[in-house]
Amino acid sequence: MTFDSVVGQSALTTTLKNAVKSGKLAHAYLFCGPRGVGKTTCARIFAKAINCEHPTSDGEACNECESCKAFNEQRSYNIFELDAASNNSVENIKSLMDQTRIPPQVGKYKVFIIDEVHMLSAAAFNAFLKTLEEPPAHVIFILATTEKHKILPTILSRCQIYDFERMSVPDIINHLKMVAEREGYTYEEEALAIIAEKADGGMRDALSIFDQTASFSQGNVTYQKVIDDLNVLDSENYFNIVNLALENKAAEIMVLLNDIINKGFDGGQLVNGLASHIRNVLMAKDPQTLPLLEVSQQQRERFQQQAAKCPTPFLYRALQIANQCDINYRTSSNKRLLVELTLIQIAQVTQPDDDTPSAGRSPKRLKFLFRKLVSKVQPKPVAQVTGAERRTTKVEHQEPKENLSPKKKPTISLGTIGMSFNRLLNEENAKPSYYKEPEIENKNEKSDFTEEELMLQWRSMCNRMAQQDKLRGMASRMKNLNPVITEYPNIEVIVESKMLLDEMNEVRNRIRVTLAHNLHNSDINFNIRLAEQEEIKPQMSRREILTHLQQENAAVNRLTTALGLELA
């Protein structure tokens, strides 16, 4: 009913009240912002205040004059509302423009409120533009939209633009408290905080959710009833997961995950909530970012307490792991396993028995996640005593194999490197001191092979390489290359790019080892060279080759159609 009753938009309402007091009004206003923040409400209050015969000293409508009473009773002939979502045609706008020519019988202005104005068609915008350029003196337009970028620049340049802000969580909580007290409901502040977070900055959504939960709880709005009604995962689970991860208790986290899933919650929902929780803990570590927490005061104190226990590198790494899980979750065929691996990785970020920056996720070294189980099978210290000198030699406690002296060089198996291309390149393309190139192990095999078999194994190798993130780009380019047998069993590949040539030379010996193993011929030699100018020609994909064959040979086309063949 009044500007003062609008929540969270004090700067805008003050500006509008000052415009009413001074009488300096524009002919067109544009109210834009997210849903449910008060755009249409402010437009109606402003329209009523403009036509009020006796506005108050602070720019509010008096609610006592004939114009205000007519508006409150919805019988005003000076204020028109149009829903552009359902009236977006040229005819609708022309009908509205016809009404602008008639001056008001009572009051000073005719106010036209057009809601969801971005839904107007292009022709309707153009029809509206002429009136907006040269409006009658007694006409004021108030446009409201949630998508300002869809409005023509020529419209925007003729309007005073007011950007409405999202409601903050404290503002929503305070307003819900006022509503609950007015309606006689009892409430817990934590319950209102959950509703405010669920509303995502929209007061209308917050009131709808509050009405729903009040009906569910019969006027006693408690935290437990709200999370039950809204199917929200209790934040206590997130605090527990972070605390267990700091203590590297992966087994306990797995049990907690199982309980959460058994209650009907989705693994992706858990990961998203955990990522938001870790983000809030990170924000609580610094007083400068503490205002970014849109939670209740009680929750803010809990975040600060947990932030004091969490190292900043742990939070950064855990947030990165959770975000990567969120990216891969939709395409994963085993979603629960993905979530379990994610939580295990977070639980081993602070493992003290690994000196690598990756904290246990290096493929060279494995973690012992369940320490209690491992410690039970460790040999006990044994004392050896000689009869003469009674010299005692203590056998020190043996650490797991991952902590053996780094002087021992690990072996590199062909199965994990030459075949699947794991760890072809490390992060800096630098080879460690113990690195050695893979060697051909099937030295006694001399089987014959054809170019068709060579091409089949080449594409299979490229598909395996594409599974490695750092090799995906090179693998996709290698798929378009056609290896040929020059002088049997020598194989040659011609590339047109110097960059691809350098990349393939890095792994040339590994490619040779892989082809020798798959084609069962150890005499294979593999050569890569840059194409000459006359050899460069457009590369055709397999699909383009098939299309070309179908166009050149009608029999091929009939055969693929009759048998329903598809390109493998």
Side-chain angles (χ1 to χ4, degrees):
M1 297 296 292
T2 63
F3 285 118
D4 291 337
S5 65
V6 179
V7 180
Q9 311 292 346
S10 57
L12 295 181
T13 55
T14 301
T15 304
L16 295 176
K17 286 195 291 184
N18 290 338
V20 173
K21 285 193 298 183
S22 64
K24 296 180 180 179
L25 302 173
H27 283 290
Y29 295 86
L30 176 63
F31 294 170
C32 49
R35 69 184 191 279
V37 294
K39 300 184 296 296
T40 307
T41 299
C42 281
R44 291 169 179 164
I45 297 172
F46 188 43
K48 180 173 68 172
I50 288 173
N51 277 317
C52 179
E53 298 175 5
H54 310 291
T56 62
S57 58
D58 59 350
E60 294 277 11
C62 67
N63 285 319
E64 295 178 358
C65 65
E66 177 58 27
S67 176
C68 291
K69 289 180 180 179
F71 177 82
N72 293 338
E73 297 170 5
Q74 298 184 356
R75 55 182 176 84
S76 175
Y77 291 102
N78 291 343
I79 299 174
F80 301 88
E81 285 194 43
L82 176 69
D83 179 18
S86 54
N87 301 278
N88 57 1
S89 65
V90 177
E91 290 74 16
N92 298 128
I93 292 299
K94 287 183 176 179
S95 175
L96 188 70
M97 296 304 102
D98 290 339
Q99 299 182 42
T100 63
R101 300 191 182 97
I102 305 172
Q105 303 301 312
V106 179
K108 295 176 289 184
Y109 298 99
K110 271 194 171 182
V111 183
F112 294 87
I113 300 174
I114 305 179
D115 206 1
E116 302 297 337
V117 69
H118 66 274
M119 298 293 287
L120 290 178
S121 63
F125 264 128
N126 291 328
F128 177 55
L129 181 59
K130 182 60 178 177
T131 304
L132 195 63
E133 287 177 341
E134 301 174 358
H138 58 269
V139 171
I140 292 179
F141 293 103
I142 303 178
L143 316 178
T145 179
T146 56
E147 301 183 43
K148 182 173 66 173
H149 61 279
K150 291 186 177 180
I151 300 177
L152 297 177
T154 49
I155 300 287
L156 294 176
S157 63
R158 290 169 171 82
C159 299
Q160 282 192 9
I161 301 175
Y162 290 81
D163 290 304
F164 284 67
E165 301 175 355
R166 292 174 66 251
M167 300 289 182
S168 66
V169 170
D171 285 341
I172 295 178
I173 292 175
N174 291 333
H175 189 68
L176 292 181
K177 285 181 181 179
M178 183 267 293
V179 173
E181 291 168 359
R182 181 181 298 173
E183 297 294 329
Y185 297 152
T186 58
Y187 61 87
E188 293 178 1
E189 186 167 342
E190 285 300 305
L192 300 185
I194 293 293
I195 296 174
E197 292 172 16
K198 190 80 172 178
D200 193 27
M203 183 61 74
R204 183 172 61 236
D205 291 352
L207 292 172
S208 299
I209 297 171
F210 178 75
D211 192 23
Q212 172 188 335
T213 54
S215 299
F216 175 76
S217 60
Q218 296 182 345
N220 182 22
V221 185
T222 64
Y223 176 79
Q224 188 61 43
K225 289 181 179 179
V226 167
I227 62 175
D228 289 344
D229 184 37
L230 301 180
N231 195 32
V232 176
L233 190 58
D234 190 355
S235 62
E236 190 67 29
N237 292 292
Y238 302 132
F239 283 102
N240 290 338
I241 289 176
V242 173
N243 289 334
L244 292 172
L246 289 174
E247 300 173 9
N248 311 127
K249 295 182 178 179
E252 286 83 346
I253 294 178
M254 293 298 99
V255 174
L256 180 58
L257 171 63
N258 186 65
D259 293 340
I260 291 172
I261 292 178
N262 288 341
K263 292 178 182 178
F265 291 101
D266 183 59
Q269 182 182 358
L270 171 66
V271 172
N272 286 334
L274 181 61
S276 299
H277 177 87
I278 296 173
R279 176 261 181 195
N280 288 342
V281 176
L282 186 62
M283 296 300 104
K285 287 191 73 70
D286 193 330
Q288 293 182 350
T289 56
L290 192 59
L292 299 180
L293 291 182
E294 293 188 346
V295 295
S296 64
Q297 183 60 35
Q298 183 179 354
Q299 283 287 88
R300 181 173 298 185
E301 293 174 358
R302 291 199 64 187
F303 279 120
Q304 286 181 291
Q305 293 172 3
Q306 189 166 72
K309 298 188 298 183
C310 296
T312 302
F314 163 76
L315 296 175
Y316 285 145
R317 182 59 184 154
L319 196 58
Q320 184 182 17
I321 295 171
N323 182 63
Q324 190 62 37
C325 176
D326 181 43
I327 294 173
N328 299 330
Y329 187 81
R330 183 171 296 179
T331 58
S332 174
S333 59
N334 192 340
K335 293 179 169 53
R336 174 162 181 167
L337 179 60
L338 177 63
V339 174
E340 289 175 342
L341 289 175
T342 298
L343 295 178
I344 289 175
Q345 288 179 339
I346 293 176
Q348 55 180 335
V349 169
T350 58
Q351 287 276 115
D353 59 340
D354 197 337
D355 56 357
T356 61
S358 57
R361 281 161 303 285
S362 170
K364 302 174 186 175
R365 308 179 70 180
L366 299 176
K367 279 287 185 185
F368 284 89
L369 300 177
F370 307 95
R371 291 182 176 280
K372 295 181 180 179
L373 297 179
V374 176
S375 62
K376 291 180 181 179
V377 298
Q378 295 299 321
K380 297 180 179 179
V382 180
Q384 297 179 351
V385 184
T386 63
E389 300 181 2
R390 302 188 63 82
R391 293 175 298 168
T392 301
T393 304
K394 295 183 179 179
V395 179
E396 296 182 356
H397 180 68
Q398 298 295 321
E399 291 293 327
K401 290 184 179 181
E402 61 170 7
N403 287 333
L404 293 177
S405 171
K407 296 180 180 178
K408 184 177 180 180
K409 299 180 180 180
T411 59
I412 303 176
S413 65
L414 179 62
T416 58
I417 299 181
M419 292 301 301
S420 63
F421 283 85
N422 285 333
R423 306 194 304 275
L424 281 178
L425 300 172
N426 59 18
E427 292 182 357
E428 299 176 354
N429 290 329
K431 297 181 175 61
S433 58
Y434 54 78
Y435 174 84
K436 65 178 182 180
E437 289 286 350
E439 299 178 355
I440 294 178
E441 295 182 352
N442 56 327
K443 296 183 179 179
N444 296 325
E445 293 186 318
K446 311 291 182 183
S447 301
D448 294 337
F449 60 91
T450 63
E451 286 201 351
E452 289 78 9
E453 294 173 332
L454 169 63
M455 194 53 131
L456 175 63
Q457 296 301 332
W458 178 268
R459 291 208 168 92
S460 299
M461 177 185 66
C462 292
N463 290 334
R464 291 195 298 273
M465 292 175 63
Q467 298 174 6
Q468 307 294 322
D469 291 339
K470 296 178 181 177
L471 300 176
R472 187 172 293 125
M474 181 171 65
S476 64
R477 294 191 292 273
M478 286 175 58
K479 284 183 181 179
N480 296 324
L481 301 179
N482 295 315
V484 296
I485 302 173
T486 52
E487 294 181 5
Y488 187 87
N490 297 331
I491 299 172
E492 183 179 70
V493 170
I494 302 175
V495 299
E496 299 178 2
S497 167
K498 180 65 167 59
M499 181 179 69
L500 180 58
L501 176 66
D502 295 338
E503 289 181 349
M504 292 182 62
N505 278 328
E506 290 284 338
V507 294
R508 186 177 66 85
N509 188 48
R510 295 166 184 257
I511 296 175
R512 174 177 173 267
V513 169
T514 301
L515 294 177
H517 183 277
N518 290 340
L519 295 172
H520 306 289
N521 192 319
S522 60
D523 292 339
I524 286 177
N525 287 319
F526 181 69
N527 182 47
I528 313 168
R529 70 176 177 87
L530 196 63
E532 301 293 340
Q533 186 65 35
E534 60 274 8
E535 294 176 320
I536 297 177
K537 58 182 180 179
Q539 292 285 346
M540 296 178 65
S541 66
R542 298 168 64 204
R543 174 67 63 185
E544 292 172 338
I545 294 174
L546 176 60
T547 303
H548 179 71
L549 288 175
Q550 291 174 331
Q551 292 173 349
E552 294 292 325
N553 193 329
V556 174
N557 190 26
R558 289 197 302 272
L559 180 67
T560 54
T561 304
L563 298 181
L565 301 180
E566 296 180 358
L567 189 64

